[in-house]
Amino acid sequence: MEIALEILPQVLLDGIVLGFMYALIALGYTMVYGVLEFINFAHSEIFVLGSFVGVEVLLLLQSAGLLATLHPALILLLVIVTGMTISGLAAMTLERIAYRPLMGGPRLVALISAIGASFFLQDALRLFESLWRNTFYLNYPTLDFLDRNLPITASLTIPVKSLLVIVTAILTLLGLHFFVNRTRMGMAIRAVAQDPDTASLMGVPVNRVIALTFFVGGALGGLAGVLFGIHYSLVNPYSGFVPGMKAFTAAVLGGIGNIPGAMVGGMLLGLLEAFAASYLSILTDGAFGAEYKDVVAFVVLIVILIFRPKGLLGEAVRESKA
Amino acid sequence: MSAALVVPGLCLYIAVSCALAYIFPQSVLAFLLVEASLLLLYYVHISDRVKFLLGGLVLLVLLPVLGFSNAYYFEIAIQIGIFVALALGLNIVVGFVGLLNLGFVAFYAIGAYLWAVFGSPQANNFVPAIMGGWFPLSANWFFVFLLLSIVVGGAAGALLGLPVLRLRGDYLAIVTLGFAEVVRALVNNLDKPINLTNGPRGISPISKPPLFFKPLLEFFGIQVSDAALYPMYFYFLVLLLVCVIILVTQRLENSRVGRAWKAIREDEIAASAMGVPVVRMKLLGFAVGASFASAVGVLFAAKQVFINPESFTFMESIGVLAMVILGGMGSVPGAILGATGVTILNLQLLKGLSLWLNGLRQSGAVWSIPLLGDLSLANLPAQFEPAKYERMIFGLILILMMIFRPQGILPPKQGAKK
């Protein structure tokens, strides 16, 4: 029991960091689902793309000798903005090529295309990195200003990396909230999510709003990718699948299509996973350990879908487009 | 071509391609020609009797002869057969009932581990010592387990289906995916607290099926070593399994059940209004597909002798899905064609291309390309191997098929609705 209490702050911190990342990725799933009722299966690769753009920018800065000379804030800004932009553009392109021709058809057709896109992107990234760097397992360069610990109390310190994730995520989520609820474009997104046909009659350019939604969702995924890379440092083209699945679980947990729901779901799932990773082996006396944390997430998904398919904050799910 | 020439022409083609494959045992191309003869047979307009005769000749006589000359051919044929059987199983779920199952490989894994655990010393680890020493079960149990796996696989399918089949299509897809990941994680980690599956190290040696016909062969004075006999044996077992699955599928397709499945696929609400017991029929489809996969799994485990969780990844599920979609959802010949095509692509074409590139790299030749200057082939990145990019190819197949030909290469005959 003493160990359990001792590691509690650490577990909470891990859970919160993980939770914010899941929330950021989950927003991409949930926003696209909101406007199209479609699971963008390739979103996990958009997320990985963000990680790769981040590492490439940092490596390029490093080889140019700028990593030590530029101001840390500028470096972070550069990495994050590039990662978000490229991921967002990639998501938009994906929508244009692989999804838009299929909209209006059976939903499974679009889903299968998305799965194909996901697989294609994984190997495309691998091919690119193999040709460019001769390896596709990349390490983020260490950034000295992030490798510190911030003391909170005498016994508790917070790594600056974790703080970066938390602060960036909170700022982004606030920004998103403002964008969706207070701007014209946000209003257009909400209108299309509510009823695309009527929105179109009211003069909302539905296709452009859908593209915008993909851009915003992709950019959030890209941000999560950059933060993920900075925090865990190792990236490979296949590392998106599991976080992607979990983020989707988070989106469903919070009620898919629902933006605050994705944040709540992501946070809950992150905490749950951190607790499972640390406490499962304590609770079961070592019989089951951290290796079951993925199982916990998937079981949560199955259980929610069975007992509360609309999620925690979900509205009634429309059946009209079936 | 006039009808009179078709049959002799086909015979000639088959004879020539087989002769080529026999003379050039290393040639991928020659074997592809043999495989293509079956496709030709499907397409030409001749009487069914001649078709079956020629097809039987190729599958039952010529391929085994080729296989004896070069065991690699058996290996390819067995792999193709395994994937054909899997694709036929998934075709029932995705094609007939219209449920996207992304975790099909889970049932395959269940079957494989069923035989692997009891057909090897593995089970001694958790069965009480009083009964210990029973394992591995004697090879004769193989056929019992083949039947058992149908029951177990079906039960597992029904168990998963019961809670989730009420979900909408895309949710169902994700839940089946999650289920497959859970099964894989369990298989991967259940080496403690009790060693059920031996974890990532996998299980070996797994018993092969019994050579019950060996005394018969010896009676006729034929002396063949076991090592030479097994590939042929597995070949015929897989062929038999595929034939049984085709037969069952076709009987089901044209029955009340098959019509109910298709009604559900086309319009669930209308089907329900017409009195089709929707959930029960979905459950049945799920269970039938799962039981096929599980039976194939038993065969796979026996053939491989060694299995580990690596063989049952999400990648496999998508591979089988790509086969079904490429061939045409809901079409039995389509599923066969898709599985054959994708397996050949994976096992022969991509590997062949990789070998060819490797050869180029080692030759160190220099190509001059206009505008780009000289390209020394020795500098080709070692990572650039087509065989490693099967995901990219599956992905492209899925996207392009969905955009340009969602009904597949050989769509079902009565289909073409919507």
Side-chain angles (χ1 to χ4, degrees):
Chain A
M1 208 55 223
E2 264 176 37
I3 317 166
L5 275 180
E6 215 167 274
I7 59 174
L8 186 63
Q10 184 59 44
V11 174
L12 269 176
L13 183 67
D14 286 350
I16 289 170
V17 168
L18 208 56
F20 272 121
M21 284 192 204
Y22 288 160
L24 284 176
I25 311 172
L27 281 167
Y29 284 107
T30 235
M31 289 181 70
V32 165
Y33 198 93
V35 294
L36 285 180
E37 299 211 346
F38 154 73
I39 299 171
N40 182 10
F41 204 87
H43 188 60
S44 51
E45 274 54 57
I46 299 296
F47 155 76
V48 172
L49 181 69
S51 283
F52 270 96
V53 171
V55 76
E56 282 297 338
V57 169
L58 284 177
L59 285 175
L60 287 177
L61 284 178
Q62 192 178 38
S63 59
L66 290 171
L67 212 50
T69 50
L70 280 183
H71 190 274
L74 193 64
I75 294 178
L76 282 179
L77 198 70
L78 199 64
V79 172
I80 286 173
V81 168
T82 332
M84 287 179 82
T85 316
I86 294 185
S87 286
L89 290 178
M92 252 169 85
T93 318
L94 192 66
E95 188 266 339
R96 188 71 196 83
I97 295 172
Y99 304 155
R100 197 179 295 176
L102 302 173
M103 287 304 148
R107 214 185 342 217
L108 284 189
V109 168
L111 180 60
I112 291 169
S113 177
I115 294 169
S118 156
F119 271 63
F120 177 79
L121 286 176
Q122 286 177 359
D123 265 2
L125 256 177
R126 172 177 171 172
L127 184 63
F128 176 79
E129 289 297 338
S130 299
L131 294 176
W132 171 240
R133 298 219 179 257
N134 221 2
T135 172
F136 53 91
Y137 289 89
L138 294 184
N139 259 311
Y140 266 66
T142 40
L143 299 168
D144 293 331
F145 52 90
L146 289 179
D147 263 346
R148 284 184 227 143
N149 286 320
L150 215 63
I152 301 288
T153 62
S155 61
L156 182 66
T157 60
I158 291 187
V160 177
K161 276 181 182 174
S162 309
L163 212 60
L164 172 77
V165 173
I166 294 170
V167 170
T168 321
I170 289 177
L171 287 179
T172 316
L173 295 181
L174 286 177
L176 183 76
H177 186 80
F178 175 80
F179 172 75
V180 172
N181 291 316
R182 295 275 185 278
T183 63
R184 269 180 77 85
M185 284 197 275
M187 203 201 293
I189 290 179
R190 280 181 291 139
V192 173
Q194 222 166 52
D195 188 337
D197 296 332
T198 312
S200 164
L201 290 176
M202 296 297 133
V204 178
V206 173
N207 273 339
R208 242 187 295 162
V209 171
I210 290 172
L212 174 75
T213 312
F214 269 87
F215 180 81
V216 174
L220 292 173
L223 172 66
V226 172
L227 295 177
F228 191 88
I230 290 177
H231 199 263
Y232 302 108
S233 95
L234 194 69
V235 288
N236 78 62
Y238 309 120
S239 59
F241 176 64
V242 171
M245 277 307 303
K246 294 207 181 124
F248 178 76
T249 307
V252 175
L253 179 61
I256 194 151
N258 181 314
I259 291 175
M263 303 182 196
V264 174
M267 194 47 74
L268 267 179
L269 197 73
L271 285 171
L272 189 72
E273 192 183 322
F275 274 94
S278 310
Y279 287 113
L280 256 182
S281 84
I282 297 177
L283 281 177
T284 58
D285 246 349
F288 300 103
E291 64 272 17
Y292 284 95
K293 64 180 169 37
D294 293 357
V295 175
V296 170
F298 285 124
V299 170
V300 167
L301 172 68
I302 295 176
V303 170
I304 297 165
L305 282 179
I306 295 166
F307 293 107
R308 202 176 156 79
K310 291 166 195 165
L312 297 177
L313 307 182
E315 307 128 35
V317 179
R318 273 178 294 158
E319 277 287 357
S320 57
K321 274 192 192 167
Chain B
M1 211 189 312
S2 72
L5 281 173
V6 171
V7 177
L10 262 176
C11 292
L12 186 72
Y13 173 82
I14 293 173
V16 170
S17 61
C18 284
L20 279 174
Y22 189 79
I23 300 166
F24 304 107
Q26 305 301 328
S27 167
V28 172
L29 224 65
F31 192 58
L32 276 180
L33 288 178
V34 180
E35 284 155 352
S37 68
L38 290 171
L39 187 65
L40 267 179
L41 265 181
Y42 179 78
Y43 270 114
V44 293
H45 292 283
I46 47 176
S47 75
D48 281 352
R49 195 180 293 169
V50 181
K51 265 189 195 182
F52 276 113
L53 214 69
L54 282 175
L57 183 77
V58 172
L59 285 173
L60 294 176
V61 181
L62 293 175
L63 259 174
V65 169
L66 280 176
F68 255 117
S69 75
N70 183 356
Y72 174 67
Y73 289 155
F74 270 143
E75 179 62 32
I76 300 277
I78 293 168
Q79 291 273 2
I80 291 176
I82 284 178
F83 281 113
V84 166
L86 282 178
L88 285 169
L90 185 62
N91 182 46
I92 290 188
V93 185
V94 178
F96 291 171
V97 202
L99 303 168
L100 188 56
N101 185 345
L102 292 180
F104 198 60
V105 80
F107 304 114
Y108 182 46
I110 288 174
Y113 267 88
L114 187 68
W115 177 238
V117 168
F118 293 103
S120 75
Q122 176 64 24
N124 289 329
N125 288 324
F126 59 89
V127 173
I130 320 157
M131 302 196 294
W134 280 17
F135 304 100
L137 291 172
S138 92
N140 291 319
W141 283 87
F142 173 81
F143 292 105
V144 178
F145 270 77
L146 202 57
L147 292 177
L148 189 66
S149 73
I150 295 176
V151 179
V152 172
L159 221 75
L160 171 68
L162 262 179
V164 303
L165 280 178
R166 288 164 212 274
L167 297 174
R168 300 184 323 166
D170 40 5
Y171 277 163
L172 180 79
I174 301 289
V175 170
T176 50
L177 200 173
F179 172 72
E181 286 299 306
V182 169
V183 167
R184 201 168 64 85
L186 286 179
V187 167
N188 216 352
N189 294 314
L190 275 181
D191 48 349
K192 63 186 171 90
I194 311 167
N195 189 352
L196 284 176
T197 63
N198 210 23
R201 278 156 299 164
I203 299 179
S204 106
I206 303 163
S207 302
K208 293 183 168 183
L211 288 167
F212 57 85
F213 50 84
K214 205 163 180 222
L216 202 69
L217 285 180
E218 276 163 0
F219 178 75
F220 285 110
I222 308 169
Q223 291 293 337
V224 190
S225 71
D226 284 5
L229 210 52
Y230 269 119
M232 189 184 74
Y233 186 26
F234 277 116
Y235 170 74
F236 280 112
L237 272 180
V238 169
L239 196 62
L240 186 70
L241 188 68
V242 168
C243 287
V244 169
I245 288 181
I246 292 178
L247 209 68
V248 172
T249 310
Q250 278 192 331
R251 299 293 296 165
L252 276 174
E253 186 182 358
N254 300 321
S255 73
R256 219 182 138 76
V257 176
R259 287 194 298 276
W261 282 342
K262 287 178 188 170
I264 293 172
R265 179 187 68 194
E266 297 302 330
D267 192 333
E268 202 176 313
I269 296 165
S272 161
M274 290 295 136
V276 174
V278 172
V279 172
R280 213 191 315 155
M281 281 299 162
K282 278 183 174 177
L283 212 57
L284 186 65
F286 226 65
V288 171
S291 62
F292 286 173
S294 171
V296 183
V298 170
L299 204 64
F300 176 74
K303 180 190 100 63
Q304 292 297 92
V305 183
F306 163 78
I307 59 166
N308 68 356
E310 288 293 295
S311 312
F312 308 102
T313 55
F314 180 48
M315 185 65 211
E316 295 299 302
S317 294
I318 295 298
V320 179
L321 182 69
M323 292 167 190
V324 173
I325 284 166
L326 187 69
M329 284 187 273
S331 144
V332 172
I336 298 173
L337 176 71
T340 315
V342 171
T343 315
I344 290 177
L345 184 79
N346 255 337
L347 287 180
Q348 295 190 289
L349 292 182
L350 292 183
K351 292 241 165 77
L353 206 59
S354 292
L355 282 176
W356 180 71
L357 276 173
N358 262 332
L360 276 185
R361 202 172 294 138
Q362 272 154 21
S363 73
V366 178
W367 281 357
S368 330
I369 301 170
L371 299 177
L372 287 176
D374 286 349
L375 175 73
S376 172
L377 291 175
N379 292 339
L380 269 180
Q383 299 279 0
F384 189 65
E385 269 189 54
K388 288 185 182 159
Y389 293 93
E390 51 175 4
R391 283 164 189 258
M392 192 185 250
I393 289 154
F394 286 170
L396 268 184
I397 289 177
L398 291 179
I399 301 177
L400 293 178
M401 290 304 287
M402 284 303 108
I403 294 179
F404 296 109
R405 202 175 159 85
Q407 74 274 36
I409 299 174
L410 290 178
K413 288 205 171 99
Q414 349 48 332
K417 285 163 215 153
K418 282 199 175 176

